[in-house]
Each structure stands twice: as structure tokens, then as C-alpha cells.
Amino acid sequence: MSDNWTGFKHTGFDSPVTEIAILLVGTKDRHASLGTGVIIGPHIAITARHVVDEYLKQFEGREIAYEKSFGTTFSLMAIQFLDNGAQGSAWDVRQVYLSKDNDIAFLFLMHGTMTKPGYIWKKLKLQLLAPPVGTRIAAFGYHSSSVEEDQDSVVLTTNPYSSYGLVEEIHLLERDSGFLNFPCFRTNARFDPAMSGGPVLTEEGVLCGIVCSSLPPEDGDDASGHTSYVSALWPSMTTFVGFPIEHQPAENYFAMELISRGYLDAIDRDRVEIARTSNPSQVQILLRNPPR
């Protein structure tokens, strides 16, 4: 294992990952940065559902809604760092789509007043199923972000961090019936709270999950032996979304349609099949050669 693929370390803003990993900033009567997200295709990003939940709690004093999508009374921005960190670009999150069955939310990004013009979108390769046990992974997130405000300016401070580890265990359906009751996998990489919603990548640069939660070792954060969990991507494919793709009315198709129509790119698309049942509120998901 190379020295560059180990540990928990600061990542420069000139790293390519800061273009796809977005810093989420909520605005209402104040500004707050509570998590990370990742751009996966044109105007499409994902984050952890519990990050959206925390914004709702702080700005609106309510629990997360379980509608297919919902509006808010606050604004949410997705900030990119471009040109080797020399410039920033802020997209407006116009809509949030989620499902109660997993910890991933889809974000619809549109141009805002601080968006850099002429941006050319990239599609991040996705791996819907969890990587096999023993796979090396890297996670990224904006660690310990803060916002200072006065009458004339808003100053945002953040630290991009990368964390490295191995896939140690796969929970194909759930880890437990309460806290992690959705498909996920365990890693020994260190995840800090502000990294929630950030990308988890394989050595090939493929997105294989989203930072979910972490249990620090008993001897403190700097000790070895972290127990962290990553949300698998495949359950989110049953989320109803309203991205404007051809011949699909808004909020009337599964996120998997974004892959089949070429808006997103998944290397293991053929291993996940989603079918409707006679009950319109239920779907069947078939996994071919699930990971172990």
C-alpha cells in the first residue's frame, strides 16, 4: 500500500476531487455549512439524507420529510473549487429528492448568482454495488467548516480532508434495524462529522458510496481502528426524481432512468434490476452477483 493511499490527511484545494466534491452551505437568517456532497452528472449531485435532515432541523425546526421531493424556506448552495483552487463556483440547489429507505438524497443544481459561466459538466463513474471486502477506498469531505458574517461580507472557512482505508464488511440489506437500517459497508477509514455526504472512491476513481457515519476508537480520533460506514449507491436508484430528461414527466421516474438514458454512468448497471410490483408503493430489486 503506497504512502499516498493511507491515513487521514489534509487535501489541497488544487486536488481534482474538489471539483466534484461540493461544500453545502445553507442560508436563511444566517449561513451554515453542515456537510459535503458530490456531483455525479450534469446538474445532478448527491449527499447524505441525514445532512438534509440537519439543515431542516436547524433552519426550520422540523424532521425530514418523506415526500418524493419537498420545498424549503431556506436556500442551499453547492460550492465547487475550480482551476486548481483559484476560483470558486456556487450552484443553487433547486430541488431535493429522497427516499426514506436509504441515506442518500439527490440534489438538482441550477445556475445561481455566483456560478462560474461556461462550466462543462463531467459524469463521475458510479459503482452501484459495494466493493468486495479488502478493496482500498478513499473518502473525501470538507472538515470543520465555519462561517463568519458581518454587515458587508460572509467568510467561509473549510478544510478539505481525505481518508483512506479498506472495505471490511458488507451489509447487503442493513447493519441493524434502527441506526443503519439500509445497505452499507464498513471501513476502517476515519470519517469526521462534516465529511457526511462526501464521496467514497475506489483506486480507479469510481464512486462506490457516500460517507455515512463513524465510530471513533476508544483511544481518540488519532488512534487506529476506526469503524466507519458508507452508504451503498444501489438502493438510491429507486428514488423518484424530477430531473428534466426527455419524455419523462417530472417526479415520475426512478433515478435508475438517469443511467439508462445516459445522464449518469454506472460500471455495474447490469447487476442491478428494478421492477415495479402490483403494489404501486413497492418495487422489487434484483442484485446479480452481490458482493461479499
Side-chain angles (χ1 to χ4, degrees):
M1 186 179 298
S2 69
D3 291 339
N4 292 330
W5 202 261
T6 59
F8 180 78
K9 61 189 70 173
H10 185 268
T11 305
F13 287 99
D14 58 348
S15 170
V17 74
T18 63
E19 180 175 348
I20 60 168
I22 49 177
L23 176 64
L24 295 174
V25 179
T27 306
K28 193 174 181 181
D29 51 354
R30 60 187 178 86
H31 292 74
S33 179
L34 304 176
T36 305
V38 56
I39 296 173
I40 57 176
H43 299 281
I44 305 169
I46 56 177
T47 186
R49 190 189 72 192
H50 73 264
V51 169
V52 178
D53 191 15
E54 189 60 32
Y55 278 112
L56 284 169
K57 288 179 182 177
Q58 290 209 16
F59 284 120
E60 298 186 354
R62 65 184 175 106
E63 297 295 324
I64 198 165
Y66 285 134
E67 304 95 324
K68 297 174 186 177
S69 66
F70 60 93
T72 67
T73 61
F74 62 91
S75 299
L76 190 60
M77 293 186 298
I79 299 176
Q80 290 175 292
F81 297 95
L82 305 173
D83 301 330
N84 294 322
Q87 297 189 55
S89 184
W91 300 89
D92 286 346
V93 177
R94 294 290 177 88
Q95 197 68 38
V96 179
Y97 305 100
L98 48 82
S99 168
K100 65 180 180 180
D101 298 324
N102 58 76
D103 192 32
I104 293 178
F106 283 81
L107 309 177
F108 185 24
L109 308 182
M110 292 296 291
H111 285 83
T113 57
M114 294 185 289
T115 306
K116 183 181 178 181
Y119 181 70
I120 299 175
W121 294 98
K122 299 176 176 62
K123 286 192 294 185
L124 184 61
K125 287 187 179 298
L126 312 179
Q127 181 171 323
L128 301 180
L129 298 178
V133 169
T135 302
R136 292 196 286 183
I137 57 93
F140 177 87
Y142 291 103
H143 174 62
S144 62
S145 301
S146 63
V147 182
E148 295 183 5
E149 305 177 55
D150 58 34
Q151 293 182 344
D152 301 317
S153 64
V154 176
V155 178
L156 176 65
T157 302
T158 190
N159 287 309
Y161 265 77
S162 296
S163 184
Y164 304 90
L166 298 173
V167 176
E168 294 189 322
E169 187 178 18
I170 296 171
H171 300 281
L172 196 57
L173 297 179
E174 62 183 15
R175 194 207 69 168
D176 57 75
S177 60
F179 180 51
L180 294 169
N181 57 353
F182 47 83
C184 58
F185 60 90
R186 176 168 58 86
T187 175
N188 58 356
R190 171 181 168 180
F191 295 167
D192 279 14
M195 297 175 69
S196 287
V200 179
L201 305 162
T202 66
E203 287 186 282
E204 294 74 29
V206 176
L207 184 74
C208 61
I210 293 295
V211 172
C212 177
S213 64
S214 183
L215 301 173
E218 293 181 358
D219 295 334
D221 285 340
D222 293 332
S224 60
H226 284 262
T227 301
S228 301
Y229 290 92
V230 179
S231 296
L233 299 181
W234 65 265
S236 70
M237 292 296 105
T238 63
T239 304
F240 279 96
V241 296
F243 297 98
I245 61 177
E246 187 177 5
H247 305 308
Q248 290 289 333
E251 301 188 35
N252 196 34
Y253 57 92
F254 292 130
M256 184 64 87
E257 285 283 340
L258 297 169
I259 295 173
S260 61
R261 291 175 177 266
Y263 283 77
L264 298 179
D265 185 9
I267 64 172
D268 56 352
R269 165 65 182 90
D270 293 339
R271 295 175 64 190
V272 180
E273 181 180 341
I274 298 174
R276 295 181 183 272
T277 69
S278 58
N279 185 338
S281 64
Q282 294 181 344
V283 296
Q284 290 181 333
I285 304 176
L286 173 63
L287 305 182
R288 297 183 176 87
N289 300 317
R292 300 182 185 278

